[in-house]
Amino acid sequence: MKNIYSNIFSFNKKTLHKSITNLKKGNVVGLPTETVYGLAGNAYSKKSVNKIYKLKKRPKFNPLIVHYFNYKNAEKEVVLNDNFFKLYKKFCPGPITFILKKRIKSKIQSFVTANLNTVAVRFPSHRVVRSILKKIDFPLAMPSANLSSGVSPVNAENVADEFKKNIKLIINDGKSKIGIESTVIDLTGKPKILRPGIISPEIINKILKTRINIARKNLKFKSPGMLKRHYSPGIPVLLNQKTFNTKHAFITFGKKYKNKKNYFNLSKKSNLKEAASNLYETLRKIKKLKFKKIYVVKIPNKSIGIAINDRLKRASHE
Ligand code: AMP
Ligand code: MG
């Protein structure tokens, strides 16, 4: 297929080098990760971080995740603790973000963390972002590459559609495998999940040998993923629906649903991991087809289903 986007490039030595040069100059680059596509910039550079907030139209009180190659690069900026190492050993590099105490001498721009004394730290596993992190001497501030409060991008075209010509370089490495954002866990005190993800509370409980809580109320600002309206496709989303109006799009789950042109099955096999990876693409597809409303069946609220329901609930918030 011909590439109709002049700012999308496939991953090779040349584009790796080009990405690094751009990041060093304080420019932003669209990068694939295993969760969703990100908008990356130098976390030490004011210019770079400002660009991220501006391009995304993201409120400044909503902090960014900082990405490192490994824990050794992170330990000079944040305080690592026992729970961190238990989870790091099991899941990193991978789709989990840790909230940790920021060190006073940290060089991370203060508005990356929205002036909080904590930093969200992740070690992505994707080959593209890892090969970049390996070659630079600064961490990457990298939120999802979409306009604030919208649906996260899972491929390079999604990123180009979000920012049009305002972003000069997007590296294409196919569809993001996981398809939803990382699990965010606060480790500054008693561990608490701030944003559910593919690494489920059940599996984290097993590793930490405790019963961790999932934060429900956003009393003090803790995590941008906790904004009530987020991941929104821009049209009404109705949850837990059994019947629906045939004019509208119907998101289904499981084999009992037939193939109809307004049915969009997240996983015929009732596989929650597959459903998560199809969620954002499905929301974008439905919007593109100009449906005016989305009905969604009940999705089992366990394991990865907790993360799917979290995103759907926020997507449905008007
Ligand atoms: P996104 O940039 O869209 O991947 O969303 C960023 C995620 O970063 C949010 O859901 C938050 O959980 C998280 N985050 C970033 N910094 C912090 C912080 N200092 N404290 C708590 N959560 C944070
Ligand atoms: Mg986001």
Side-chain angles (χ1 to χ4, degrees), residues 4 11 14 21 143 147 197 252 264 273 300:
I4 56 159
F11 181 57
K14 213 169 130 187
T21 314
L147 296 174
T252 61
F264 300 85
K273 200 169 176 181

Side-chain angles (χ1 to χ4, degrees), residues 114-272:
N115 277 320
L116 298 167
N117 56 4
T118 54
V119 190
V121 172
R122 185 161 102 82
F123 309 88
S125 64
H126 195 283
R127 64 169 184 152
V128 170
V129 67
R130 264 183 86 72
S131 50
I132 292 172
L133 285 169
K134 202 173 174 180
K135 289 193 167 67
I136 55 180
D137 55 4
F138 50 86
L140 293 176
M142 181 164 57
S144 53
N146 55 279
L147 296 174
S148 186
S149 89
V151 175
S152 295
V154 293
N155 59 47
E157 291 78 14
N158 291 165
V159 181
D161 289 341
E162 289 284 327
F163 299 111
K164 309 284 188 270
K165 291 277 157 59
N166 293 327
I167 162 168
K168 302 285 178 286
L169 177 61
I170 302 165
I171 304 295
N172 178 11
D173 203 31
K175 186 182 167 185
S176 289
K177 272 216 182 78
I178 293 172
I180 58 167
E181 305 80 357
S182 58
T183 303
V184 177
I185 183 164
D186 185 349
L187 296 178
T188 56
K190 188 172 159 17
K192 195 195 290 161
I193 292 185
L194 301 185
R195 176 172 75 185
I198 216 90
I199 298 179
S200 64
E202 292 94 326
I203 180 162
I204 293 175
N205 279 337
K206 261 193 203 153
I207 311 287
L208 296 184
K209 299 192 174 65
T210 55
R211 241 190 90 83
I212 46 164
N213 293 321
I214 303 178
R216 297 201 186 278
K217 254 200 192 151
N218 183 10
L219 293 175
K220 217 171 77 187
F221 184 74
K222 261 293 184 187
S223 169
M226 294 172 78
L227 292 174
K228 268 197 180 145
R229 183 169 177 276
H230 206 150
Y231 318 116
S232 165
I235 51 176
V237 179
L238 289 89
L239 306 182
N240 302 322
Q241 301 294 310
K242 286 195 184 111
T243 54
F244 77 108
N245 183 323
T246 47
K247 286 194 312 230
H248 302 310
F250 192 32
I251 295 184
T252 61
F253 176 78
K255 65 174 183 296
K256 73 173 183 187
Y257 296 96
K258 304 272 175 304
N259 289 327
K260 287 192 186 173
K261 74 174 187 340
N262 56 337
Y263 279 35
F264 300 85
N265 203 321
L266 293 179
S267 171
K268 286 216 163 120
K269 295 178 282 189
S270 301
N271 179 318
L272 289 167

